[in-house]
Amino acid sequence: MNALLPLLQDPPFYYPVSPISMVRGRGLRLHDDEGREYLDCVSGTFNLILGHNHPEVVEAAKLQMDELVFSSSNFNAPAVDALARALVAISPANLTRAHLRSPGGSTANEGAIRIAQHITGKRDVVTLFRSHLGQTFAMTGLSGFSTHRTPFPNVFPGGVQVPAPYCARCFYKQSPDQCGMLCVSRIDDFIRYASTGSVACVLVEPILGVGGNIIPPADYLPSLKAFCDERGILLIFDECQTGFGRCGHMFAADYFGVSPHIMTLAKGMSGVGLPIGAILTEDRLTGLDKLFHGFTNGGWLPAAAAALKTIEILQRPGFLENVRHVGKLLCEGLDGLRARYPFIGEVRGAGLMIGMEIIEPDNPAANLPDNTRALALQKALLQQGVIIRISEHGRGNVVEIRPALICTDSDIAEILQRFEQACAGIHA
Ligand SMILES: Cc1ncc(COP(=O)(O)O)c(C=O)c1O
């Protein structure tokens, strides 16, 4: 007998894999190979803005595949041409150039940084504590989590991390009504004492996703933009999670009424999970030579066709209004559970980007994160057939809830009912 056979009884993945094997998906529903149905409340990995296998988007990608699967970015093609125009049309007015040579979010962020460095002639990048901007070496080096950086050498030494606008756990121990926006003004100290003094850009998620659904107070992003403008620093919004309707508006830039100098996009862009990324910039920021940022699968044609269809669907009358409506229902419903379950802390949401803090129930006023209970809730929800995620890639205390934007009132009622059952289970 072949000595390798016993080893091959387990799937030969490098990493541990779930015993659950998914075989079919439609909308919010996923099915495993044993016929069990799940309610996917995180849209895949927050990327299936239109849910699993949205038929119109899948059809658009198939049609493109029938015509032409791949074209080198040395040539134009109708799908990428139309997508560039559509992205410029739907994004804030100052963003007039689309760079479509990135296959995903990490690479789009790297391209945005290169553009900022090229234009300003400066080097360093300011990012936020708790930010997650991707997993390439540079993005790992800029991560707002030491846990992500520690195992590897510092391959991006020019990163400076500064406190996030996390009012529920303010770094400066202030309250939002009288804080003086220290999380913006004190960035000067970090630049002066912790950077090389040569700062090209500030790169932020307008709402921190993996970090715990951290929604800044209304003044934060306008103050940050003014701070950057005054210092000739470029402000980059990473809208990989917040973009394409997630916050009930096309972009978080619209939700907050602040236009960055550069915006990066990926994840939800193709609606159903085909890989694609984009960088949008102001006109004055063009000039980075093509050879410095381009990847084989950047602007992949079927994904571009899917993205175009996704944008068309998001623009249909009432679509984003419904996201705001169901988002409010879900957020209020989850917040309502707090009265019965003292381990639920702050529930915060923008559209369908919702986070629920899990705290130690014995002394709720102390607002102490309860990571163990958050994982227990995740497990209890899975038993109820509900898929959620926990912040910080499972190490945090915030339940992340981001169902597809096609959610209906009855989907929300079902999600809430299952949350109630799971919460009751772990409360007992
Ligand atoms: C906010 C944000 N930016 C960037 C990325 C990286 O995107 P990608 O995995 O497509 O490289 C992620 C992925 O989780 C993300 O959440």
Side-chain angles (χ1 to χ4, degrees):
M1 198 166 103
N2 186 329
L4 283 178
L5 270 182
L7 280 178
L8 291 176
Q9 281 168 3
D10 289 329
F13 290 107
Y14 182 84
Y15 37 78
V17 286
S18 165
I20 301 172
S21 180
M22 297 301 186
V23 292
R24 190 172 185 278
R26 291 291 179 276
L28 263 68
R29 323 266 155 180
L30 261 177
H31 294 90
D32 69 16
D33 59 356
E34 292 176 353
R36 186 153 189 239
E37 184 180 278
Y38 301 82
L39 260 177
D40 182 355
C41 288
V42 283
S43 311
T45 51
F46 312 133
N47 57 335
L48 311 178
I49 282 289
L50 297 176
H52 292 272
N53 286 53
H54 190 287
E56 289 179 75
V57 181
V58 170
E59 183 60 19
K62 277 185 184 162
L63 282 175
Q64 179 61 51
M65 286 184 114
D66 286 343
E67 286 303 315
L68 186 64
V69 176
F70 186 87
S71 164
S72 147
S73 61
N74 286 335
F75 302 102
N76 198 358
V80 278
D81 189 291
L83 179 59
R85 290 169 199 275
L87 288 171
V88 166
I90 61 171
S91 62
N94 62 319
L95 302 177
T96 52
R97 297 280 160 177
H99 191 299
L100 288 175
R101 287 161 61 86
S102 313
S106 311
T107 44
N109 281 337
E110 296 205 0
I113 291 169
R114 284 182 169 134
I115 290 170
Q117 290 174 329
H118 178 75
I119 295 292
T120 62
K122 296 181 180 168
R123 306 208 297 267
D124 288 357
V125 181
V126 173
T127 60
L128 299 178
F129 288 5
R130 297 173 187 269
S131 65
H132 174 77
L133 307 159
Q135 299 257 3
T136 53
F137 266 119
M139 290 308 114
T140 300
L142 289 171
S143 168
F145 292 100
S146 60
T147 43
H148 280 64
R149 294 195 303 268
T150 309
F152 310 107
N154 247 350
V155 289
F156 192 89
V160 180
Q161 280 76 47
V162 304
Y166 192 3
C167 298
R169 304 184 186 284
C170 176
F171 178 85
Y172 296 105
K173 306 264 184 280
Q174 302 290 311
S175 66
D177 46 330
Q178 43 90 346
C179 69
M181 208 53 76
L182 289 175
C183 51
V184 173
S185 61
R186 297 296 296 271
I187 296 174
D188 263 335
D189 292 330
F190 286 86
I191 291 177
R192 182 153 183 209
Y193 300 112
S195 80
T196 65
S198 168
V199 175
C201 56
V202 172
L203 166 55
V204 298
E205 299 160 84
I207 295 175
L208 287 94
V210 171
N213 219 84
I214 299 166
I215 305 177
D219 289 353
Y220 175 75
L221 290 169
S223 306
L224 189 61
K225 174 93 187 278
F227 177 94
C228 289
D229 280 337
E230 282 156 20
R231 288 156 185 78
I233 295 171
L234 295 174
L235 178 62
I236 305 172
F237 279 2
D238 171 339
E239 293 238 21
C240 291
Q241 286 205 29
T242 50
F244 294 101
R246 174 55 70 194
C247 304
H249 297 267
M250 195 58 86
F251 298 108
D254 305 314
Y255 177 88
F256 290 107
V258 180
S259 307
H261 304 113
I262 304 178
M263 183 188 274
T264 58
L265 301 167
K267 283 208 186 274
M269 192 167 160
S270 71
V272 296
L274 300 186
I276 190 161
I279 308 163
L280 303 180
T281 80
E282 295 181 345
D283 230 36
R284 67 182 171 110
L285 305 183
T286 50
L288 180 77
D289 194 287
K290 216 173 151 188
L291 77 92
F292 290 124
H293 190 78
F295 296 83
T296 305
N297 292 318
W300 187 46
L301 297 181
L308 259 180
K309 179 54 79 177
T310 299
I311 292 170
E312 185 209 309
I313 293 171
L314 293 178
Q315 286 183 305
R316 286 181 186 161
F319 190 97
L320 292 175
E321 284 81 351
N322 187 58
V323 176
R324 297 196 282 273
H325 162 72
V326 287
K328 191 162 177 280
L329 273 185
L330 183 52
C331 204
E332 286 175 358
L334 292 169
D335 196 47
L337 297 176
R338 265 195 316 149
R340 292 186 289 291
Y341 306 110
F343 55 81
I344 299 178
E346 185 177 81
V347 177
R348 42 181 182 260
L352 275 169
M353 186 157 182
I354 298 171
M356 176 198 253
E357 296 251 358
I358 304 302
I359 58 172
E360 289 187 11
D362 299 338
N363 181 9
N367 196 25
L368 297 172
D370 192 340
N371 304 13
T372 311
R373 201 176 302 262
L375 287 175
L377 181 58
Q378 182 182 35
K379 206 167 154 195
L381 281 162
L382 193 62
Q383 275 158 7
Q384 296 293 330
V386 172
I387 302 171
I388 53 101
R389 288 187 156 223
I390 302 296
S391 58
E392 304 179 29
H393 294 123
R395 296 175 188 220
N397 75 310
V398 179
V399 175
E400 297 171 331
I401 309 139
R402 295 175 203 149
L405 309 188
I406 50 164
C407 242
T408 61
D409 287 23
S410 72
D411 292 326
I412 299 294
E414 194 176 344
I415 294 170
L416 287 172
Q417 189 201 7
R418 297 204 203 174
F419 258 84
E420 174 86 55
Q421 283 161 346
C423 287
I426 67 162
H427 187 55

